[in-house]
Amino acid sequence: MHLPNSNNEKICEMRNAVIKGIEAYLPEYVLTNQELTTMMDTSDEWITTRTGIKERRILKGEALGTSYMGAKAVEKLLQSTGTNPEEIDTVICATVTPDMPFPATANIISDKCHILNAWGYDINAGCSGFIFSFATIASMIKAGTARKVVLVCGEKMSSIVDYGDRTTAPLFGDAAVAMLIEASDDDNGLIDCDMHVDGVGRRFLYQKAGGSKYPATMETVAEHAHYIFQEGRTVFRYAVTNMGNTTQTVMSRNGLTMDNVDFFIPHQANIRIIQAIQQQLNLPDEKLLINIDRFGNTAGTSIPLVLWDYKERFRKGDNILMSAFGAGFTWGTLYYKWGI
Ligand code: UT7
């Protein structure tokens, strides 16, 4: 592996991974609840009260995939952080909606953004994509095998949503967020993480066809098997229990209470899941960050989209907890100290 360091000495000894810059790309098209009522048997009132979502962004246009949004976010990131693309050594893309099964969307984004000296790959961890990817990158940074990393979280969920299925269609939106991650030169950055998988979840939230088990056929297309299937109530129950537990685990082993946590950012799947966890944690409203009303569920992109949205509010050293739950099942929590 190439590291842009001529001596190849170990770059950082047990240093925290810190976000040095964060940028987002949001497609222009706003799909409102009102418009959804013209497409399926639903209402603004049902969607708002059952999910908290009012609108979501949709990427329109022929042959535009996740890499299109990811590359736009990375271009902004390189510009705003004054980074030369050739300095980047690692590109990770967290996505469940890659442009295609292979090559990795990370590779396509690298090509589009002239990132020529990097290696990288995609991470598929459902809606925990950001949490798992950040923990992975933090390990690389601690080990000294990466020093300037671009993490792109991007989803074109509209490409796998069945707009004939009113139980899943209102939930999801498209977006991409790119972050520049480096070793911290102080005590900020990723402090702790707690992560889990449980394959029981594969029965309740999946995209059945398009992989090696059920390759695309006329039948899989006719059965709508290339779209998201979700048994919502079951996923809801697992999400509340597991996000609550993993957050409490991280809090107790780091001596955190609601007095010293500055912000809590949950995965933006459903306002009722978020409120149930808020109640469990006894979390005051002003510490809970949400934007589900404007962007819906953007899977592994949802937590970084909140980070980006609220970044002006954070101060160096703020204690931020981020917790996700998604397909797999996958779930986990990061304890992060804002570092810019
Ligand atoms: O991000 C990955 C993890 N995913 C999640 O965390 C999502 C977890 N699940 C959920 O957020 C919720 O379960 C949903 C939002 C998916 C569904 O909400 P729910 O309160 O669990 O509704 P339900 O599935 O129990 O359905 C209640 C009723 C049903 O009608 P009946 O059988 O009671 O007559 C549905 O047919 O609501 C009906 N319904 C709708 N009505 C109007 C379902 N979708 C709609 C709709 N508009 N869009």
Side-chain angles (χ1 to χ4, degrees):
M1 178 181 42
H2 170 78
L3 284 174
N5 164 354
S6 53
N7 301 322
N8 260 359
E9 79 269 21
K10 217 164 177 190
I11 297 137
C12 46
E13 292 293 342
M14 304 307 282
R15 310 251 301 269
N16 296 336
V18 72
I19 299 168
K20 291 285 191 181
I22 181 165
E23 296 291 347
Y25 175 80
L26 287 157
E28 272 171 33
Y29 193 85
V30 178
L31 176 60
T32 61
N33 289 350
Q34 194 51 44
E35 186 175 352
L36 281 172
T37 65
T38 67
M39 299 158 69
M40 64 195 70
D41 180 16
T42 189
S43 65
D44 175 43
E45 198 265 335
W46 192 96
I47 302 170
T48 306
T49 55
R50 306 305 289 175
T51 74
I53 301 166
K54 296 297 281 181
E55 58 189 43
R56 68 290 289 145
R57 300 299 180 97
I58 303 294
L59 181 64
K60 299 273 188 184
E62 195 67 20
L64 298 182
T66 294
S67 75
Y68 174 83
M69 297 185 290
K72 295 262 185 210
V74 172
E75 278 162 13
K76 285 191 207 176
L77 179 73
L78 294 174
Q79 199 173 21
S80 67
T81 56
T83 306
N84 178 338
E86 297 187 11
E87 294 169 40
I88 304 297
D89 56 68
T90 312
V91 178
I92 302 291
C93 180
T95 188
V96 295
T97 51
D99 279 19
M100 53 187 84
F102 67 89
T105 301
N107 304 163
I108 300 169
I109 292 170
S110 300
D111 182 51
K112 288 183 173 176
C113 297
H114 313 290
I115 296 174
L116 302 173
N117 293 319
W119 73 306
Y121 52 90
D122 292 354
I123 290 183
N124 176 341
C127 298
S128 306
F130 165 70
I131 302 285
F132 283 24
S133 300
F134 199 84
T136 303
I137 291 165
S139 303
M140 292 171 163
I141 283 176
K142 276 197 193 295
T145 56
R147 62 191 298 194
K148 230 180 218 308
V149 183
V150 167
L151 170 59
V152 190
C153 298
E155 299 292 4
K156 187 182 174 187
M157 297 304 287
S158 60
S159 65
I160 55 168
V161 162
D162 182 353
Y163 286 97
D165 173 8
R166 70 176 184 166
T167 66
T168 53
L171 306 177
F172 297 100
D174 303 338
V177 177
M179 282 151 277
L180 180 66
I181 303 172
E182 294 181 37
S184 173
D185 44 22
D186 54 25
D187 290 337
N188 295 316
L190 184 67
I191 308 299
D192 192 14
C193 55
D194 176 59
M195 290 167 300
H196 303 267
V197 294
D198 182 349
V200 71
R202 73 189 190 278
R203 299 183 187 91
F204 306 115
L205 178 51
Y206 56 83
Q207 181 188 343
K208 179 177 169 184
S212 55
K213 190 172 176 187
Y214 299 107
T217 61
M218 300 296 274
E219 288 73 28
T220 61
V221 173
E223 285 166 12
H224 290 204
H226 294 267
Y227 293 127
I228 300 169
F229 169 83
Q230 176 172 243
E231 199 176 296
R233 282 185 211 183
T234 310
V235 177
F236 190 109
R237 279 200 308 274
Y238 275 96
V240 171
T241 306
N242 289 312
M243 280 167 71
N245 288 346
T246 175
T247 306
Q248 274 163 340
T249 298
V250 168
M251 286 178 69
S252 72
R253 71 183 180 210
N254 290 282
L256 293 170
T257 65
M258 275 312 142
D259 291 334
N260 50 19
V261 169
D262 294 293
F263 298 103
F264 177 65
I265 306 178
H267 169 46
Q268 311 282 298
N270 186 316
I271 194 69
R272 291 183 295 132
I273 295 176
I274 294 171
Q275 286 164 344
I277 296 165
Q278 179 182 18
Q279 213 170 4
Q280 271 180 36
L281 300 175
N282 212 6
L283 181 75
D285 285 347
E286 65 275 12
K287 296 191 177 190
L288 175 66
L289 302 186
I290 48 175
N291 61 15
I292 188 173
D293 50 326
R294 286 177 290 141
F295 305 121
N297 181 349
T298 55
T301 308
S302 87
I303 291 174
L305 196 55
V306 175
L307 275 177
W308 165 79
D309 212 6
Y310 286 89
K311 65 182 173 185
E312 301 307 331
R313 200 183 283 193
F314 305 140
R315 296 288 164 262
K316 207 168 189 178
D318 276 354
N319 285 325
I320 303 175
L321 289 173
M322 300 177 258
S323 187
F325 182 87
F329 293 128
T330 57
W331 69 99
T333 298
L334 302 181
Y335 167 28
Y336 183 79
K337 284 175 100 67
W338 191 251
I340 42 178

